[in-house]
Amino acid sequence: MFDHIGIRASDREASEAFFLRALAPLGIGLAMKGPHGAGLGRNGKPSLWIYESADRPVPLHLAFAAQCRSQVDAFHRAATEAGGKDNGPPGLRTHYHPHYYAAFVIGPDGHNVEAVCHLPED
């Protein structure tokens, strides 16, 4: 449904560094960078824009698609190593559906960042 989304960050450089490290296992990297923001995405297409904000942003829930469960595990490891706070380790969330495998981390500015795979185990 979305082509891209933008979020505000109280410290753009810190948020950019966190998201680049946390999302690298999902194949997401820096796609564009300018004086007002950084665009992260796959294959050079920015899908998540990070902009500087003078105010602390309202925390969002951002869920990123993983191609397999091992990517979810790697995301969680990378995100916590990048300074994110565990908000739900990798595992099944069968209350959503039988194959919903996800992990959650609280990132800079309180955003709840999730990686999720909807496929059965590899």
Side-chain angles (χ1 to χ4, degrees), residues 46-78:
S47 295
L48 173 67
W49 283 94
I50 302 171
Y51 302 102
E52 188 79 28
S53 175
D55 300 318
R56 186 163 179 88
V58 174
L60 301 172
H61 177 196
L62 302 167
F64 295 89
Q67 295 174 343
C68 59
R69 293 179 182 191
S70 62
Q71 281 187 338
V72 173
D73 298 340
F75 154 81
H76 187 264
R77 198 169 35 257

Side-chain angles (χ1 to χ4, degrees), residues 8-62:
R8 301 284 181 197
S10 60
D11 182 339
R12 190 186 90 193
E13 288 184 17
S15 286
E16 181 183 328
F18 168 79
F19 279 103
L20 284 172
R21 190 165 171 192
L23 300 177
L26 305 178
I28 297 170
L30 185 63
M32 287 183 156
K33 189 168 184 170
H36 302 292
L40 284 60
R42 292 184 178 105
N43 303 315
K45 188 226 177 266
S47 295
L48 173 67
W49 283 94
I50 302 171
Y51 302 102
E52 188 79 28
S53 175
D55 300 318
R56 186 163 179 88
V58 174
L60 301 172
H61 177 196
L62 302 167

Side-chain angles (χ1 to χ4, degrees), residues 90-112:
L92 287 170
R93 286 8 187 233
T94 56
H95 54 283
Y96 295 127
H97 68 71
H99 302 297
Y100 197 106
Y101 188 87
F104 303 83
V105 175
I106 302 297
D109 294 312
H111 299 307
N112 182 23

